[in-house]
Amino acid sequence: MEIELAKKERLIRGMELGKKIVLHGVVLSQYYKSNVENYLRFCLEYYRKTDILPPSLSLIYSLLEMAFKENCRNSYYLEKGWDPLSSESLTEREAEFETNWDFSNPLKLRDRLKEEGSILRTTIYHSGSGVSLEIANLAPITSEAEEALTEYLSRAKSYRDLSEYYEDYPFDEEGREIGIALAILQFKEIGLDPNLLRFDTAEGEHVFRLEIGFDGEYLSLRTKLENDEDIRPFRFHSQAEKDGETISPWKISVCKICGRSVDDRIFFHTVPPDVVAKAKDLPFTEDVCAWCLSGYLKL
């Protein structure tokens, strides 16, 4: 789905001011993935670096899948009454979760995960020297799981081909966890530095950070902080511009009638009483999209 012309003009102005782009969500739906692709493509087109889009997307999608899976695992543990931070019977519990959890329709999980406080947030920062992305969720993970993830990323960054992955993880015959390793190999093939992929846990959020440099002079966030540099992508020209640092795409909601994910500009969280009076057999008066509502209105 293409970005609308009016929104493109707004984005170009935001790019000129160095604003970050933030995409908020709960589940990893196709719509969410499409939004991530469209906004990243827009950033790379702005800097004329679209050649790095395919391998970048491959890695970003793999990180999003991992973050979403963490949300789902936390939900399953809550349902079972298990402490998500306990390492007790971790292997058995993980196997049960993998077997019983249905990932086939993420939108069916949205209300459940939202009620539990889950988030899936993607933030895109940018400048003429590179872009960086942060993928965050609120799912707690055990120290053992963090150690396993650290080891996995360390190994994946050193691989020369996929055969090395299977040497390290022979039990993963179906390649369920191979996505990040494959994406990192693609990353390295075009000269991007996979060592600029890190993760951290802070204030309850589990955050993956991927930095993509456009040239050999790119300085990572860690280096800039060590040098006490201003890490904003561009200088803000006024306090008013600084206060408007974030570009937020239009909010998306799900219609109770048709199940579509639609822009909030054509969505009724509560249908006005005078409109309800004109609608024939309207099954819901809350969370209804304009398309469905128009079908129930009397002519």
Side-chain angles (χ1 to χ4, degrees):
M1 183 169 55
E2 293 291 329
I3 297 176
E4 301 167 6
L5 178 61
K7 192 180 292 185
K8 279 187 177 181
E9 294 173 353
R10 175 168 160 261
L11 281 168
I12 289 172
R13 176 58 178 159
M15 296 290 287
E16 292 171 348
L17 295 175
K19 296 181 179 181
K20 62 186 177 183
I21 298 174
V22 185
L23 293 95
H24 297 278
V26 178
V27 299
L28 186 56
S29 64
Q30 191 57 46
Y31 187 89
Y32 189 94
K33 292 173 71 174
S34 177
N35 266 340
V36 171
E37 177 179 352
N38 285 334
Y39 285 103
L40 179 59
R41 184 191 302 276
F42 185 89
C43 282
L44 295 179
E45 285 177 349
Y46 183 86
Y47 294 109
R48 300 181 181 179
K49 294 291 182 179
T50 52
D51 57 312
I52 66 175
L53 179 64
S56 300
L57 271 180
S58 179
L59 185 49
I60 291 162
Y61 284 165
S62 294
L63 295 173
L64 281 167
E65 287 169 2
M66 182 171 287
F68 177 49
K69 185 176 180 180
E70 288 176 357
N71 283 345
C72 294
R73 180 188 293 108
N74 185 57
S75 178
Y76 187 77
Y77 277 35
L78 289 173
E79 179 184 33
K80 291 289 184 177
W82 298 338
D83 180 359
L85 292 176
S86 172
S87 59
E88 181 183 355
S89 304
L90 188 61
T91 303
E92 291 80 2
R93 289 179 176 181
E94 179 67 14
E96 181 179 330
F97 162 69
E98 292 276 2
T99 301
N100 295 332
W101 191 268
D102 182 10
F103 288 95
S104 63
N105 190 347
L107 287 177
K108 282 188 175 181
L109 305 170
R110 184 179 181 276
D111 289 344
R112 169 178 174 169
L113 294 179
K114 184 177 181 180
E115 186 176 341
E116 292 169 351
S118 291
I119 65 165
L120 189 63
R121 187 182 69 246
T122 303
T123 306
I124 304 174
Y125 304 87
H126 59 90
S127 74
S129 61
V131 298
S132 62
L133 295 97
E134 289 183 355
I135 295 168
N137 65 11
L138 282 173
I141 63 173
T142 64
S143 57
E144 289 81 2
E146 286 206 46
E147 290 173 7
L149 178 56
T150 299
E151 181 180 358
Y152 173 62
L153 292 179
S154 178
R155 290 175 182 268
K157 291 172 185 177
S158 67
Y159 291 156
R160 290 166 295 182
D161 57 61
L162 286 182
S163 65
E164 295 182 73
Y165 171 83
Y166 287 108
E167 290 175 8
D168 286 338
Y169 301 96
F171 50 84
D172 187 15
E173 297 179 358
E174 298 179 0
R176 288 187 176 184
E177 306 297 334
I178 203 172
I180 291 179
L182 174 60
I184 286 177
L185 280 172
Q186 295 173 328
F187 226 51
K188 292 166 70 174
E189 284 177 0
I190 64 170
L192 296 176
D193 186 359
N195 290 310
L196 295 180
L197 166 61
R198 302 184 179 90
F199 75 93
D200 193 12
T201 302
E203 298 180 358
E205 289 191 350
H206 191 212
V207 181
F208 293 99
R209 183 181 182 87
L210 174 63
E211 298 178 77
I212 306 170
F214 294 155
D215 52 53
E217 298 180 358
Y218 180 79
L219 296 178
S220 70
L221 175 63
R222 179 176 295 179
T223 301
K224 291 179 180 180
L225 290 174
E226 289 174 350
N227 295 338
D228 294 325
E229 292 186 32
D230 185 346
I231 62 171
R232 291 174 299 185
F234 297 97
R235 177 182 63 83
F236 288 104
H237 303 286
S238 69
Q239 184 61 38
E241 291 169 346
K242 181 177 178 180
D243 291 341
E245 185 183 354
T246 301
I247 303 174
S248 295
W250 295 110
K251 187 175 181 297
I252 300 301
S253 295
V254 178
C255 176
K256 283 185 178 180
I257 297 177
C258 66
R260 292 189 185 98
S261 295
V262 300
D263 193 312
D264 256 21
R265 290 171 294 177
I266 59 168
F267 189 81
F268 293 87
H269 289 281
T270 301
V271 181
D274 60 320
V275 178
V276 174
K278 298 176 182 178
K280 182 179 180 181
D281 301 324
L282 184 67
F284 297 103
T285 59
E286 294 182 349
D287 298 337
V288 177
C289 74
W291 290 328
C292 289
L293 181 58
S294 63
Y296 290 93
L297 291 176
K298 298 177 184 177
L299 299 177

